[in-house]
Amino acid sequence: MPGYTKFLEKLIEELSRLPTIGPKSAERMALFLLKGSSTQAKALAEAIINAKENTKKCSLCNHLAEQEYCPICQNQNSREKVLCIVEDPQDVIAIERTGRYKGLYYVLWGRLSPLEGKGPEDLPLEKLLKRVREEKVKEVIIATSSSREGEATAQYLRQCLLPLPVKVTRIARGIPVGSNLGHIDQATMSHAIDGRREVNT
Amino acid sequence: MPGYTKFLEKLIEELSRLPTIGPKSAERMALFLLKGSSTQAKALAEAIINAKENTKKCSLCNHLAEQEYCPICQNQNSREKVLCIVEDPQDVIAIERTGRYKGLYYVLWGRLSPLEGKGPEDLPLEKLLKRVREEKVKEVIIATSSSREGEATAQYLRQCLLPLPVKVTRIARGIPVGSNLGHIDQATMSHAIDGRREVNT
C-alpha cells in the first residue's frame, strides 16, 4: 500500500513520541510543517536544538538555568530562607505566577515511582539535605503532587528531613477554587474537611 | 517574575504554532524534550529538516513525493483511469488504506475558502483539466470534504469539468458506520435519505 514518503513517516514517528500526541495528531502536525514555509520548519528545528544545548540545571536547586545558577538562586539574598520542594520545573513557574511565594525552590525532576523503576536513589536528595543543613533554611515546604506517587515521595522526604532542625510543611489539599462541591472526589473532600481552618469574622 | 530561560520560551512559542497545540501542551512537550536525551531531541529536529527538504509535490497529481512522481503515479499503468480529487495528502492515505480504490488522485492542497482568502486562482486547476483532457480519464470523483467550504469547492469543480467529456461523481454522504441514528445531524440525515439505494434480497 503506498503511504507517505519515508522522511514524512520518520517525522510522524518522532512527533508521536511527544507526550499527549497520538499518531493522528502527529500526522496533522507533520503535514502542517510540510505545508508551511521552510523558515517556520527550520525555526522549530533550531528552537529544539538551542533549547536542548543551552539549558542546564541550576547547580543549587536543579531548576532550569542558562548559567550556573537559575534566576531565582542568583537573587537568593533577596528571598526568604524557605525551600519549596517540587517535582518539575513547571511547578516552579506555576508557584512563581501566583506572586505569593518569596522563598527558594528545589526541583526533584521526578518522584518515587516503582512502576517506572524510580527509587530514592534516583532523586537528588543528598544535595537537598546538604543545602538545608548549610544554608540555615527555616522551613521546607513539600509541594510534590497530590497523586499516590507524589504522596509517597512526600512521605519519604518527610522521613529524610526529620533528623534536621528545620520546620517541614506540606502544601494544603482541598477544594480547588471555582469548584462545585458536588463534583469533588471523596479523597479531596476528606482532605478539605480535615484541613479546615477557623474563620475569624 | 522569573520564568523559563529564553531558549525554552522560544521553543514553547514555536511548538504553540502547531495545530491543536495550546500553550499548556507546548510547555509540556518542551519540558519533555529537555528531560529526554540529546539524541532524541536531535532526532526530532533532524526529522523536521529532512522531511521539509526531501519532500516534493508529485508533478502529476501534487501528492507527496520523494522523486518527480509519487509512488501512485509511478505505477499509473497498473491503475484505473479514474481521478479522485481530494483536498489534502491525508485524504489520499485515508482512501488508500481502504484498499477499495484502484484509480489515481489529484491533490488540491486546500479548498475554496473566502474567510482565508482562498479563491479559485489558488487551486491548481489548470493542471487538473489538462490531465483529464490528455490522459483520457474515464471518471472524476470529487472527494472534497463535506463541510460548507468543501461543498463549495465541489460545486466549482463540477462547473469546470462540465465542458469535458468525462463522467463526474461526488463521494456519497450518509450515516457513518457504527453511528446511532438518534445522534446524526439533520443535514447528514437528509443526505442519507436522498441517497438511499435499493436493496436486492
Side-chain angles (χ1 to χ4, degrees):
Chain A
M1 193 194 83
Y4 291 126
T5 63
K6 68 175 190 294
F7 290 108
L8 184 52
E9 296 276 7
K10 176 74 182 155
L11 177 54
I12 294 172
E13 186 193 319
E14 290 296 333
L15 288 169
S16 308
R17 291 185 211 277
L18 296 174
T20 74
I21 305 298
K24 276 280 157 202
S25 309
E27 188 180 340
R28 213 170 142 187
M29 286 162 63
L31 285 161
F32 174 87
L33 286 169
L34 284 190
K35 274 192 201 181
S37 69
S38 282
T39 327
Q40 191 189 10
K42 261 189 201 141
L44 174 57
E46 276 167 20
I48 294 169
I49 297 292
N50 281 336
K52 191 73 195 171
E53 285 180 355
N54 296 297
T55 312
K56 307 172 198 172
K57 287 183 189 174
C58 170
S59 60
L60 278 173
C61 76
N62 301 328
H63 185 45
L64 299 163
E66 281 171 57
Q67 288 136 28
E68 196 185 346
Y69 303 118
C70 73
I72 299 167
C73 288
Q74 273 171 30
N75 274 320
Q76 69 165 315
N77 289 334
S78 66
R79 293 214 158 213
E80 292 175 34
K81 283 275 171 216
V82 175
L83 213 59
C84 181
I85 310 181
V86 295
E87 294 177 5
D88 283 303
Q90 293 102 301
D91 307 333
V92 175
I93 304 292
I95 296 173
E96 284 295 296
R97 265 187 205 131
T98 65
R100 282 294 292 262
Y101 179 69
K102 307 292 182 200
L104 301 160
Y105 296 90
Y106 193 82
V107 183
L108 298 176
W109 286 88
R111 49 189 175 177
L112 297 181
S113 171
L115 280 177
E116 295 164 23
K118 270 212 153 189
E121 65 285 359
D122 298 308
L123 299 179
L125 294 177
E126 273 189 38
K127 202 165 78 175
L128 168 67
L129 299 177
K130 188 163 171 272
R131 194 173 182 194
V132 172
R133 241 183 271 119
E134 291 178 4
E135 289 189 21
K136 302 208 174 74
V137 170
K138 288 187 300 184
E139 179 181 351
V140 173
I141 303 172
I142 302 176
T144 53
S145 60
S146 63
S147 63
R148 190 173 301 186
E149 290 165 342
E151 290 298 345
T153 311
Q155 187 57 38
Y156 184 77
L157 289 170
R158 208 174 281 129
Q159 282 167 19
C160 295
L161 292 161
L162 213 62
L164 302 182
V166 65
K167 182 174 163 190
V168 179
T169 56
R170 177 92 173 101
I171 47 163
R173 282 155 300 186
I175 315 292
V177 174
S179 289
N180 194 319
L181 288 205
H183 300 143
I184 295 292
D185 63 284
Q186 283 182 31
T188 304
M189 191 58 93
S190 305
H191 279 299
I193 294 170
D194 290 349
R196 69 191 180 279
R197 291 166 65 172
E198 201 173 317
V199 183
N200 297 318
T201 46
Chain B
M1 193 193 84
Y4 290 127
T5 63
K6 66 176 191 295
F7 290 108
L8 185 52
E9 296 277 7
K10 176 74 182 154
L11 176 55
I12 293 172
E13 186 194 319
E14 289 295 333
L15 288 168
S16 307
R17 293 185 210 277
L18 296 174
T20 75
I21 305 298
K24 275 279 156 204
S25 308
E27 188 180 339
R28 210 169 146 188
M29 285 162 64
L31 285 161
F32 174 87
L33 286 169
L34 284 189
K35 275 192 201 181
S37 69
S38 283
T39 326
Q40 192 189 8
K42 262 190 199 139
L44 175 56
E46 275 167 20
I48 293 169
I49 297 292
N50 281 335
K52 191 72 196 172
E53 285 180 355
N54 297 296
T55 312
K56 308 172 199 174
K57 287 183 188 174
C58 170
S59 61
L60 278 173
C61 76
N62 301 328
H63 185 45
L64 299 162
E66 281 170 58
Q67 289 134 30
E68 196 186 345
Y69 303 118
C70 73
I72 298 166
C73 287
Q74 273 172 29
N75 273 321
Q76 68 165 315
N77 289 334
S78 66
R79 294 212 157 213
E80 292 175 34
K81 283 274 170 213
V82 176
L83 215 58
C84 181
I85 309 182
V86 296
E87 294 176 7
D88 283 304
Q90 291 102 301
D91 307 334
V92 174
I93 304 293
I95 296 173
E96 283 295 295
R97 266 187 205 132
T98 66
R100 284 293 292 263
Y101 178 68
K102 307 292 182 202
L104 301 160
Y105 296 89
Y106 193 81
V107 183
L108 298 176
W109 285 88
R111 49 188 175 177
L112 296 183
S113 171
L115 280 176
E116 295 164 24
K118 271 213 153 191
E121 65 285 359
D122 298 308
L123 299 178
L125 295 177
E126 272 189 37
K127 201 164 79 176
L128 168 67
L129 299 178
K130 186 161 171 273
R131 194 173 182 193
V132 172
R133 243 184 266 118
E134 291 179 3
E135 289 188 21
K136 302 207 174 73
V137 170
K138 289 186 299 183
E139 178 181 352
V140 173
I141 304 172
I142 302 176
T144 53
S145 60
S146 64
S147 63
R148 192 173 300 186
E149 292 167 338
E151 290 298 344
T153 311
Q155 187 57 36
Y156 184 78
L157 289 170
R158 208 175 281 127
Q159 281 167 20
C160 295
L161 292 161
L162 214 60
L164 303 182
V166 66
K167 182 175 163 189
V168 179
T169 57
R170 176 91 173 101
I171 47 162
R173 282 155 301 187
I175 315 293
V177 174
S179 290
N180 195 320
L181 287 205
H183 299 143
I184 295 293
D185 63 286
Q186 282 181 29
T188 304
M189 191 59 93
S190 304
H191 279 300
I193 293 170
D194 290 350
R196 69 192 180 280
R197 291 166 67 173
E198 200 172 318
V199 184
N200 298 318
T201 45

